[in-house]
CSV table of all heavy atoms in Angstrom, one decimal:
chain,number,residue,atom,x,y,z
B,381,PHE,N,-78.6,23.6,-10.0
B,381,PHE,CA,-77.9,24.7,-9.2
B,381,PHE,C,-77.2,25.7,-10.1
B,381,PHE,O,-77.2,26.9,-9.8
B,381,PHE,CB,-76.8,24.0,-8.4
B,381,PHE,CG,-77.4,23.2,-7.3
B,381,PHE,CD1,-77.1,21.8,-7.1
B,381,PHE,CD2,-78.2,23.8,-6.3
B,381,PHE,CE1,-77.6,21.1,-6.1
B,381,PHE,CE2,-78.8,23.0,-5.3
B,381,PHE,CZ,-78.5,21.7,-5.2
B,382,ALA,N,-76.7,25.3,-11.2
B,382,ALA,CA,-76.0,26.2,-12.1
B,382,ALA,C,-77.0,27.2,-12.7
B,382,ALA,O,-76.7,28.4,-12.8
B,382,ALA,CB,-75.3,25.5,-13.3
B,383,HIS,N,-78.2,26.8,-13.0
B,383,HIS,CA,-79.2,27.7,-13.6
B,383,HIS,C,-79.6,28.7,-12.5
B,383,HIS,O,-79.9,29.9,-12.9
B,383,HIS,CB,-80.5,26.9,-14.1
B,383,HIS,CG,-80.3,26.4,-15.5
B,383,HIS,ND1,-80.3,27.2,-16.6
B,383,HIS,CD2,-80.1,25.2,-15.9
B,383,HIS,CE1,-80.1,26.5,-17.7
B,383,HIS,NE2,-79.9,25.3,-17.3
B,384,THR,N,-79.7,28.3,-11.3
B,384,THR,CA,-80.0,29.3,-10.2
B,384,THR,C,-78.9,30.2,-9.9
B,384,THR,O,-79.1,31.4,-9.9
B,384,THR,CB,-80.3,28.5,-8.9
B,384,THR,OG1,-81.0,27.3,-9.2
B,384,THR,CG2,-81.1,29.3,-7.9
B,385,GLN,N,-77.7,29.7,-9.8
B,385,GLN,CA,-76.6,30.5,-9.3
B,385,GLN,C,-75.7,31.2,-10.4
B,385,GLN,O,-75.1,32.2,-10.1
B,385,GLN,CB,-75.6,29.6,-8.5
B,385,GLN,CG,-76.2,28.8,-7.4
B,385,GLN,CD,-76.4,29.6,-6.1
B,385,GLN,OE1,-75.6,30.6,-5.9
B,385,GLN,NE2,-77.4,29.3,-5.3
B,386,LEU,N,-75.7,30.6,-11.6
B,386,LEU,CA,-74.7,31.1,-12.5
B,386,LEU,C,-75.3,31.8,-13.8
B,386,LEU,O,-74.6,32.1,-14.7
B,386,LEU,CB,-73.8,30.0,-13.0
B,386,LEU,CG,-73.0,29.3,-11.8
B,386,LEU,CD1,-72.4,28.0,-12.4
B,386,LEU,CD2,-72.0,30.2,-11.3
B,387,ARG,N,-76.7,31.8,-13.8
B,387,ARG,CA,-77.4,32.3,-15.0
B,387,ARG,C,-76.9,33.6,-15.5
B,387,ARG,O,-76.8,33.9,-16.7
B,387,ARG,CB,-78.9,32.3,-14.7
B,387,ARG,CG,-79.7,32.4,-15.9
B,387,ARG,CD,-81.2,32.2,-15.6
B,387,ARG,NE,-81.4,32.6,-14.2
B,387,ARG,CZ,-82.6,32.4,-13.5
B,387,ARG,NH1,-83.5,31.8,-14.1
B,387,ARG,NH2,-82.7,32.9,-12.3
B,388,ARG,N,-76.6,34.5,-14.5
B,388,ARG,CA,-76.1,35.9,-14.9
B,388,ARG,C,-74.8,35.8,-15.8
B,388,ARG,O,-74.5,36.8,-16.5
B,388,ARG,CB,-75.9,36.8,-13.7
B,388,ARG,CG,-77.0,37.6,-13.3
B,388,ARG,CD,-76.6,38.7,-12.3
B,388,ARG,NE,-75.6,39.5,-12.8
B,388,ARG,CZ,-74.9,40.4,-12.0
B,388,ARG,NH1,-75.1,40.4,-10.7
B,388,ARG,NH2,-73.9,41.1,-12.5
B,389,PHE,N,-74.0,34.8,-15.5
B,389,PHE,CA,-72.7,34.8,-16.1
B,389,PHE,C,-72.5,33.8,-17.2
B,389,PHE,O,-71.7,34.1,-18.1
B,389,PHE,CB,-71.7,34.4,-15.0
B,389,PHE,CG,-71.9,35.0,-13.6
B,389,PHE,CD1,-72.1,34.2,-12.5
B,389,PHE,CD2,-72.0,36.4,-13.5
B,389,PHE,CE1,-72.4,34.8,-11.3
B,389,PHE,CE2,-72.3,36.9,-12.3
B,389,PHE,CZ,-72.5,36.1,-11.1
B,390,LEU,N,-73.2,32.7,-17.2
B,390,LEU,CA,-73.0,31.6,-18.1
B,390,LEU,C,-74.3,31.2,-18.7
B,390,LEU,O,-75.3,31.0,-18.0
B,390,LEU,CB,-72.3,30.5,-17.4
B,390,LEU,CG,-70.8,30.8,-17.1
B,390,LEU,CD1,-70.3,29.7,-16.1
B,390,LEU,CD2,-70.0,30.7,-18.3
B,391,ASP,N,-74.3,30.9,-20.0
B,391,ASP,CA,-75.4,30.5,-20.7
B,391,ASP,C,-75.2,29.0,-21.1
B,391,ASP,O,-74.6,28.6,-22.0
B,391,ASP,CB,-75.5,31.3,-22.0
B,391,ASP,CG,-76.7,31.0,-22.9
B,391,ASP,OD1,-77.6,30.3,-22.3
B,391,ASP,OD2,-76.7,31.3,-24.1
B,392,PHE,N,-75.9,28.1,-20.2
B,392,PHE,CA,-75.6,26.7,-20.4
B,392,PHE,C,-76.4,26.1,-21.6
B,392,PHE,O,-77.5,26.4,-21.8
B,392,PHE,CB,-76.1,26.0,-19.1
B,392,PHE,CG,-75.1,26.1,-18.0
B,392,PHE,CD1,-75.1,27.2,-17.2
B,392,PHE,CD2,-74.1,25.1,-17.8
B,392,PHE,CE1,-74.1,27.4,-16.2
B,392,PHE,CE2,-73.2,25.2,-16.8
B,392,PHE,CZ,-73.1,26.4,-16.0
B,393,GLN,N,-75.7,25.3,-22.3
B,393,GLN,CA,-76.2,24.7,-23.5
B,393,GLN,C,-76.8,23.4,-23.1
B,393,GLN,O,-76.3,22.6,-22.3
B,393,GLN,CB,-75.2,24.5,-24.6
B,393,GLN,CG,-74.4,25.8,-24.9
B,393,GLN,CD,-75.4,26.8,-25.5
B,393,GLN,OE1,-76.0,26.6,-26.5
B,393,GLN,NE2,-75.4,28.0,-24.9
B,394,PRO,N,-78.0,23.0,-23.8
B,394,PRO,CA,-78.6,21.7,-23.4
B,394,PRO,C,-77.6,20.6,-23.9
B,394,PRO,O,-76.8,20.8,-24.8
B,394,PRO,CB,-79.8,21.7,-24.3
B,394,PRO,CG,-80.0,23.0,-24.9
B,394,PRO,CD,-78.7,23.8,-24.8
B,395,SER,N,-77.7,19.5,-23.2
B,395,SER,CA,-76.8,18.4,-23.5
B,395,SER,C,-77.5,17.1,-23.1
B,395,SER,O,-78.2,17.0,-22.1
B,395,SER,CB,-75.5,18.5,-22.7
B,395,SER,OG,-74.8,17.3,-22.7
B,396,ASP,N,-77.3,16.1,-23.9
B,396,ASP,CA,-77.9,14.7,-23.7
B,396,ASP,C,-76.9,13.7,-23.4
B,396,ASP,O,-77.2,12.5,-23.4
B,396,ASP,CB,-78.7,14.3,-24.9
B,396,ASP,CG,-80.2,14.6,-24.8
B,396,ASP,OD1,-80.6,15.0,-23.6
B,396,ASP,OD2,-80.9,14.4,-25.7
B,397,ALA,N,-75.6,14.1,-23.3
B,397,ALA,CA,-74.5,13.1,-23.2
B,397,ALA,C,-73.3,13.6,-22.6
B,397,ALA,O,-73.2,14.8,-22.3
B,397,ALA,CB,-74.3,12.7,-24.7
B,398,GLY,N,-72.3,12.7,-22.3
B,398,GLY,CA,-71.0,13.1,-22.0
B,398,GLY,C,-70.8,13.4,-20.5
B,398,GLY,O,-71.7,13.2,-19.7
B,399,LEU,N,-69.7,14.0,-20.2
B,399,LEU,CA,-69.3,14.2,-18.8
B,399,LEU,C,-69.2,15.7,-18.4
B,399,LEU,O,-68.8,16.0,-17.3
B,399,LEU,CB,-67.9,13.5,-18.6
B,399,LEU,CG,-67.9,12.1,-18.9
B,399,LEU,CD1,-66.5,11.5,-18.8
B,399,LEU,CD2,-68.9,11.3,-18.1
B,400,HIS,N,-69.5,16.6,-19.3
B,400,HIS,CA,-69.5,18.0,-19.0
B,400,HIS,C,-70.5,18.8,-19.8
B,400,HIS,O,-71.1,18.3,-20.7
B,400,HIS,CB,-68.2,18.7,-19.2
B,400,HIS,CG,-67.1,18.1,-20.0
B,400,HIS,ND1,-65.9,18.6,-20.2
B,400,HIS,CD2,-67.1,16.9,-20.6
B,400,HIS,CE1,-65.2,17.8,-20.9
B,400,HIS,NE2,-65.9,16.7,-21.2
B,401,LEU,N,-70.7,20.0,-19.3
B,401,LEU,CA,-71.6,20.9,-20.0
B,401,LEU,C,-70.8,22.1,-20.6
B,401,LEU,O,-69.8,22.5,-20.1
B,401,LEU,CB,-72.5,21.5,-18.9
B,401,LEU,CG,-73.5,20.5,-18.3
B,401,LEU,CD1,-74.1,21.0,-17.1
B,401,LEU,CD2,-74.6,20.0,-19.3
Side-chain angles (χ1 to χ4, degrees):
Chain B
F381 291 121
H383 275 287
T384 323
Q385 303 279 335
L386 301 170
R387 196 171 29 189
R388 266 195 57 192
F389 320 123
L390 289 163
D391 181 17
F392 282 83
Q393 304 299 305
S395 164
D396 262 351
L399 306 174
H400 15 178
L401 294 166

